[in-house]
Amino acid sequence: MACNIEDDVPNGSMLQVDSPEPSLLKVEILDPERNYQTQSWKNGLGKTSEISIYPPEKDFRKDSFFWRLSENVIEADFNYPILLGYEYTNIILPSEERKSTIQLNHRGEENSSSIKPLFPYSWNAEWATSCKVTDAPLTCLQFLIKRELGTAQFSLDKLDQLISNESGETGRKLVLGAFALIYVIEGHVRIGLDENSPQGTHRVLSAGQTLYVERDEDASPTSMTIQPSDASGGISSRDSDATIVTIQITETKKKGAPSTLGTNISDYGGGVQLNTAPLINSLSPSSANDTAMTISTSPIQQNYASGGEDAPSRRREPRRKGSLVVYDDQPFWNLPQDVAQRIVAQEANASAAAIPVSSDNIGGELAATLKRDTEPTAANNNKTRTMKPGIERRNSIAILRDKLETTQIYEPPTFSDLNQDTDVPPPVVRDRLVIEDFPKHTISTAWIKMVKQGLSEWMRLPVIVCRGSEEGPVVGITAAVHGNELNGVPCIHRVVSEIDVRHLRGTVVAVPCVNVSGYLKFTRDFADGRDLNRLFPGREDGFASQVYCYQLMNRVISQFNYLIDLHTASFGRVNSYYVRADMNDPFSATMARLQQPQIVLHNSGQDGTLRSAASARGIRAITVEIGNPQLFQSQYVQWSYVGVMRILDHLKMYNLNDQSAEDILALGPPNTILCSKGFWIYTKTGGVLEVYPGVNTIVQKGDLIARMKNIFGNVVDEYHAPCSGIVIGRSSNPVAMSGDRIIHLGVIKKKNESLPKEAKENY
């Protein structure tokens, strides 16, 4: 089927970010033989190999520093040095010969902490701490960081070569901070950094080596791919596996302020105090070898290397703000006054329910505009006072009109304003969906038998089949895979009511409710409490959710050529109007553009979703996220309806030339922002959560995005944007546990960036 994609794609711009390059400042392999500086402890109880220290050329015994990574061999019991303002983290490395552990006792307390291999353990370096070793000697990684200057995150990963994994799953991480250190415990790994950008690079490391990554913390996140390999970097070996430790270091600094790093002891809040315990020697690693890559050098770096007064980790002067134009998530400014009046009246209650706001702001920009336009002037007041008394008595509302907000006056919709009835016939019952069982140029409905429930009766799936007069593609539209995500239901109703099957080529199959059990219980999950959209394509002999997914794929989805899966945010969250799609697939990318959403998020799938399972079967699929859960939002519904109709028009299935004037309401936002990746930011503690940015708004790196309070109102934590991006979704539930979601942040695609083949999210 020959279609001109460019003729069908909306005229609005697909916005990207012109992020400055380079983001990687230095990438270097640190080798035990060439770079680690080893010295035995003076008391003979062990030895230390310093891997790296920042700022370099610092002497850990005399100077203050930001962070330090070392490899220690402990041969007997000892006491840790006391370091004011620092934090220790130890990771015991495994040994095939011994099952060593250490017992740490802090401040002479009665109980000690037992530390086992491969479990990071952190404590305050100001505490007097004794160490008892079982089955010495043992080797451990030790990391030190100045608490007021930054934070560190540790992850320990066992990487296996996934030979039979169809999704090609590999280790992927986003580097958000100024530094990343990857230490290889065993095996060989190939590490790729921003391999889809011109500045991308990769390195091959062996056991005992460390990859040092220094980056511009103000740039976009760095994508890091870690794969087990052989010694030469090949990843095809069936026996390849590896174990690594990843340390991500983020510098703490006030927004807009210069770096907190300096070279004077006073810059770090005082010097370093040592206990009577052995001194772990600190020497600088070699700064140049044939494995190092320094991407940029500036006068600031030269000053820093020579021990100048200022040694910032941020190497670039602040640049001008980006030129992106961000539109409100409910834009009404281009609508006729009477049309806008109707929409805001419908949206006011839904908006207030979705995101708590003051009554003055309900209805957003339009309400404020209408309020200004309808506020009584002095002339109007005089006119009101001179109205005939009889009229005022017969219409008591007229007395209140000058005292009420515009949105407080209900105006019943006219018949032309209402979506038409779908006018479908009663359903038939079928064992599975077979398109040919339904007559041409007819809209039919059916109950498809899925699984037996607890009364030994069939749980049945509602299906609407719009079969045209001519043969053509089969487009499937699904909604409510999560039972409380409902905006897709009226979208489907609108599509079905607007289609005239006499002019339809091919077939449109609509499933207005996939998760029947969750829909009836107002919940996201299926009857067994599991998330269907993480279990596709399911299993015939699995647990209940897997069986349901398997039957859905084989009895219904298998009939489709194209799939549009309609979702919303789930309980406690709100979403923008956005699309998830594999933007490396040309037709999926076109389907995403035809929706004309606020945001397109590149996501390749391979994550157990319905879209992913459909794509694996050759069905072109996108996921459309339409606002908020358990309510109908008429504007988002209309936007998504028109997006579906554009796709049908593009496939030459249905002609949109006769689009009604009312569809001006649903043309969508004027521009779409393309994100190359997205990720959720999670809470570190529980309490009363306040989230500040709205959806479809751009945040800058370091912006305050949320605060956590305890139940008495004390602020216990603050959260800042780890990078610049756009808010795709956010939490709307103020009651938060540790590990709850805060915002879904999209990283805006750079103009010269190649989208990764495999892109997922941390949901």
Side-chain angles (χ1 to χ4, degrees):
M1 176 172 52
C3 297
N4 188 343
I5 291 178
E6 294 301 323
D7 293 342
D8 295 303
V9 172
N11 293 326
S13 303
M14 182 71 80
L15 301 185
Q16 304 176 19
V17 66
D18 188 12
S19 180
E21 296 290 352
S23 60
L24 294 174
L25 300 175
K26 188 176 182 180
V27 178
E28 181 180 1
I29 294 178
L30 303 177
D31 184 78
E33 298 296 328
R34 293 192 301 267
N35 304 104
Y36 296 9
Q37 301 297 318
T38 303
Q39 184 167 338
S40 297
W41 300 352
K42 292 181 179 179
N43 56 13
L45 301 179
K47 62 181 178 181
T48 292
S49 297
E50 183 178 86
I51 299 173
S52 185
I53 189 170
Y54 191 91
E57 310 302 333
K58 291 292 181 181
D59 187 332
F60 144 87
R61 298 169 298 178
K62 301 182 295 184
D63 301 326
S64 187
F65 55 94
F66 181 13
W67 56 261
R68 177 180 186 263
L69 177 66
S70 61
E71 184 182 86
N72 294 347
V73 176
I74 304 173
E75 298 177 355
D77 299 347
F78 74 104
N79 295 323
Y80 275 94
I82 293 176
L83 303 177
L84 299 179
Y86 287 84
E87 182 171 273
Y88 279 116
T89 299
N90 270 15
I91 303 174
I92 299 177
L93 302 182
S95 170
E96 295 181 357
E97 302 173 356
R98 294 180 173 82
K99 295 184 178 180
S100 303
T101 62
I102 59 175
Q103 297 280 337
L104 297 183
N105 183 272
H106 305 299
R107 298 177 293 186
E109 294 176 351
E110 186 173 335
N111 296 320
S112 298
S113 300
S114 178
I115 316 301
K116 296 181 179 180
L118 300 183
F119 284 89
Y121 178 83
S122 301
W123 73 95
N124 192 327
E126 297 177 9
W127 296 348
T129 300
S130 62
C131 173
K132 290 187 177 181
V133 187
T134 59
D135 203 4
L138 66 79
T139 303
C140 70
L141 288 181
Q142 183 181 90
F143 185 79
L144 276 164
I145 189 168
K146 185 83 167 178
R147 288 193 303 271
E148 66 181 25
L149 297 184
T151 59
Q153 291 184 327
F154 300 83
S155 62
L156 199 143
D157 300 289
K158 176 74 172 178
L159 304 174
D160 296 312
Q161 188 67 30
L162 303 176
I163 302 300
S164 61
N165 191 337
E166 296 178 358
S167 68
E169 181 84 35
T170 54
R172 289 184 178 271
K173 297 179 183 293
L174 282 181
V175 183
L176 301 171
F179 305 92
L181 303 168
I182 302 92
Y183 179 91
V184 182
I185 296 176
E186 61 181 357
H188 308 274
V189 295
R190 181 191 184 278
I191 301 177
L193 298 166
D194 273 345
E195 290 189 282
N196 295 297
S197 74
Q199 299 294 333
T201 185
H202 73 271
R203 294 289 188 272
V204 178
L205 285 81
S206 301
Q209 292 183 323
T210 302
L211 185 67
Y212 173 96
V213 179
E214 184 176 354
R215 58 184 298 278
D216 188 333
E217 197 173 9
D218 291 332
S220 297
T222 297
S223 297
M224 182 165 62
T225 305
I226 308 174
Q227 298 170 283
S229 70
D230 55 29
S232 61
I235 58 174
S236 60
S237 172
R238 292 180 177 270
D239 299 324
S240 298
D241 56 58
T243 306
I244 62 165
V245 174
T246 304
I247 306 172
Q248 294 203 41
I249 305 160
T250 301
E251 183 184 347
T252 302
K253 50 191 173 186
K254 296 180 180 179
K255 182 181 175 184
S259 169
T260 56
L261 298 183
T263 59
N264 296 329
I265 293 178
S266 59
D267 295 336
Y268 296 85
V272 179
Q273 280 191 9
L274 300 181
N275 196 2
T276 57
L279 297 177
I280 304 179
N281 189 40
S282 168
L283 299 176
S284 303
S286 174
S287 60
N289 58 62
D290 56 3
T291 63
M293 178 189 69
T294 302
I295 299 179
S296 66
T297 304
S298 69
I300 296 178
Q301 284 176 285
Q302 295 167 4
N303 179 43
Y304 149 76
S306 62
E309 286 296 314
D310 203 8
S313 62
R314 183 174 63 185
R315 307 299 178 82
R316 190 178 70 238
E317 292 299 320
R319 59 187 179 90
R320 64 178 179 83
K321 294 183 179 179
S323 57
L324 283 175
V325 179
V326 183
Y327 296 90
D328 292 345
D329 59 349
Q330 299 284 330
F332 291 105
W333 64 82
N334 58 346
L335 303 182
Q337 177 78 6
D338 59 328
V339 172
Q341 174 78 54
R342 291 199 303 272
I343 290 298
V344 75
Q346 297 169 11
E347 287 293 316
N349 290 335
S351 298
I355 305 177
V357 292
S358 69
S359 59
D360 292 339
N361 291 330
I362 293 179
E365 174 192 358
L366 176 62
T369 303
L370 294 178
K371 181 178 177 182
R372 290 195 301 270
D373 293 344
T374 56
E375 281 179 347
T377 60
N380 289 336
N381 289 337
N382 291 335
K383 183 177 180 179
T384 301
R385 284 194 294 270
T386 57
M387 290 176 65
K388 294 182 180 180
I391 295 178
E392 292 189 9
R393 283 194 296 272
R394 284 194 299 269
N395 185 1
S396 59
I397 296 298
I399 303 174
L400 300 176
R401 282 192 182 275
D402 62 340
K403 297 181 173 63
L404 297 176
E405 296 285 342
T406 303
T407 55
Q408 289 181 268
I409 307 298
Y410 172 69
E411 294 185 11
T414 62
F415 181 78
S416 61
D417 293 332
L418 296 174
N419 296 333
Q420 298 179 13
D421 191 301
T422 56
D423 196 24
V424 296
V428 296
V429 179
R430 294 286 184 268
D431 290 331
R432 61 187 305 112
L433 175 66
V434 179
I435 302 296
E436 292 72 23
D437 287 352
F438 300 92
K440 290 185 177 181
H441 50 264
T442 302
I443 296 180
S444 307
T445 60
W447 290 109
I448 305 297
K449 296 178 182 178
M450 296 296 290
V451 295
K452 287 286 188 78
Q453 37 92 318
L455 297 176
S456 196
E457 295 292 331
W458 284 103
M459 183 180 291
R460 301 181 300 186
L461 189 77
V463 173
I464 306 171
V465 180
C466 307
R467 195 168 181 206
S469 301
E470 300 177 43
E471 293 298 330
V474 178
V475 173
I477 313 170
T478 53
V481 171
H482 296 129
N484 61 355
E485 299 182 8
L486 304 182
N487 271 330
V489 177
C491 173
I492 285 176
H493 292 167
R494 178 77 186 271
V495 169
V496 172
S497 67
E498 291 294 331
I499 287 178
D500 184 342
V501 290
R502 295 172 299 176
H503 305 298
L504 175 67
R505 187 179 72 88
T507 304
V508 174
V509 178
V511 184
C513 179
V514 170
N515 184 356
V516 176
S517 172
Y519 175 86
L520 295 175
K521 295 190 296 183
F522 323 119
T523 61
R524 172 186 178 90
D525 298 328
F526 189 63
D528 60 356
R530 293 183 173 94
D531 187 340
L532 290 178
N533 214 35
R534 302 294 181 268
L535 299 173
F536 285 102
R539 290 180 55 184
E540 187 176 14
D541 59 348
F543 43 75
S545 295
Q546 289 178 320
V547 173
Y548 193 87
C549 291
Y550 175 86
Q551 299 296 349
L552 178 68
M553 290 296 299
N554 289 276
R555 299 188 184 205
V556 179
I557 305 300
S558 59
Q559 299 289 300
F560 300 166
N561 302 120
Y562 304 91
L563 171 65
I564 306 167
D565 190 21
L566 307 177
H567 286 256
T568 74
S570 194
F571 171 77
R573 305 195 291 272
V574 293
N575 270 350
S576 57
Y577 172 52
Y578 78 99
V579 172
R580 278 194 184 95
D582 184 354
M583 297 300 285
N584 285 324
D585 176 66
F587 201 88
S588 296
T590 300
M591 291 172 68
R593 288 288 318 268
L594 289 168
Q595 282 292 323
Q596 199 170 332
Q598 294 167 323
I599 300 165
V600 171
L601 174 60
H602 172 55
N603 183 299
S604 59
Q606 301 102 19
D607 49 8
T609 60
L610 176 56
R611 174 175 66 91
S612 172
S615 298
R617 294 194 177 195
I619 302 168
R620 303 292 177 80
I622 62 172
T623 301
V624 184
E625 297 277 357
I626 318 170
N628 307 334
Q630 205 64 45
L631 53 83
F632 292 162
Q633 294 170 285
S634 58
Q635 182 176 344
Y636 280 166
V637 170
Q638 289 166 335
W639 281 357
S640 58
Y641 148 72
V642 171
V644 172
M645 299 305 290
R646 287 195 196 101
I647 291 175
L648 298 181
D649 181 68
H650 176 76
L651 293 171
K652 309 302 182 188
M653 294 177 63
Y654 200 78
N655 195 335
L656 279 186
N657 289 342
D658 299 328
Q659 186 174 337
S660 67
E662 285 297 313
D663 285 338
I664 187 177
L665 300 174
L667 291 179
N671 292 296
T672 296
I673 292 179
L674 175 60
C675 294
S676 59
K677 59 179 76 75
F679 59 95
W680 278 95
I681 299 171
Y682 291 86
T683 62
K684 297 177 182 177
T685 186
V688 181
L689 178 65
E690 298 175 352
V691 182
Y692 302 124
V695 297
N696 196 39
T697 57
I698 286 182
V699 298
Q700 301 291 328
K701 179 181 176 64
D703 284 349
L704 178 67
I705 57 173
R707 292 199 307 176
M708 188 75 75
K709 295 180 179 178
N710 62 24
I711 198 62
F712 304 103
N714 305 114
V715 175
V716 295
D717 207 355
E718 291 187 343
Y719 300 90
H720 297 79
C723 65
S724 297
I726 187 165
V727 179
I728 299 173
R730 65 187 289 275
S731 171
S732 60
N733 183 7
V735 182
M737 299 282 288
S738 298
D740 276 354
R741 306 183 192 214
I742 302 174
I743 65 169
H744 186 191
L745 190 62
V747 179
I748 302 171
K749 179 184 175 294
K750 295 177 282 191
K751 289 182 180 178
N752 60 349
E753 180 183 4
S754 298
L755 293 172
K757 242 184 216 184
E758 187 178 325
K760 304 179 186 179
E761 298 162 73
N762 59 340
Y763 52 65

